Amino acid sequence: MDHLPTTEAAVTVLRAIAAEHAREIEVTHDIGADQTSRRTAAGVGVTTDADGTLPHEAYAEFGGVPRVSVRLFPEDDALITVEGVECHDIPRDEVPAFLRSVFGGLAYVTARRFPPGYRLVVPLPGDRAHKEPVPMFLLSPWLSGRVR
């Protein structure tokens, strides 16, 4: 497991994963309490948190199929979106394993007959998996092709 102590370290790993899987990556950075998404109450022109730190958030969008984006938050977690399915609260250190699982073809979708429903399953090291419900209207061709 990679240890990603900073947002910049995490972005470096995201770029390496994009290169491993021959994908384009576009990254934008939001630096300062008045710029990051979770600090909307910071006020205009307030760049540091109360403890004097400068929060750094990054958003990365990968090219190709499946459509994947990653928002890295200053609080050491991430929001990963796969084909429109939002996977919240992914620890920053688990982001590389999550992406390698998706890009490596290990992620799949389970289907339930009653009540009808779908769930994206992303295997992680240590016999763990991240599971996220998939609304029927988000069932893209990529997700449909991975239904088990």
Side-chain angles (χ1 to χ4, degrees), residues 31-129:
I31 300 174
D34 61 341
Q35 300 296 311
T36 56
S37 63
R38 290 185 176 166
R39 292 183 172 73
T40 54
V44 177
V46 177
T47 57
T48 59
D49 283 340
D51 64 358
T53 60
L54 190 64
H56 178 190
E57 183 174 296
Y59 177 77
E61 196 165 0
F62 292 85
V65 176
R67 292 172 298 129
V68 176
S69 65
V70 178
R71 180 167 299 282
L72 298 164
F73 297 108
E75 296 85 7
D76 295 337
D77 68 324
L79 164 65
I80 301 176
T81 305
V82 179
E83 287 291 312
V85 179
E86 292 186 344
C87 304
H88 294 271
D89 302 322
I90 306 296
R92 187 184 307 181
D93 288 347
E94 291 185 6
V95 169
F98 188 105
L99 293 175
R100 286 184 177 110
S101 187
V102 170
F103 294 147
L106 299 176
Y108 59 94
V109 175
T110 59
R112 188 177 59 221
R113 289 183 193 251
F114 190 79
Y118 296 93
R119 186 173 297 275
L120 173 64
V121 180
V122 181
L124 297 171
D127 290 330
R128 298 176 303 118

Side-chain angles (χ1 to χ4, degrees), residues 3 9 120 143:
H3 176 62
L120 173 64
L143 290 167

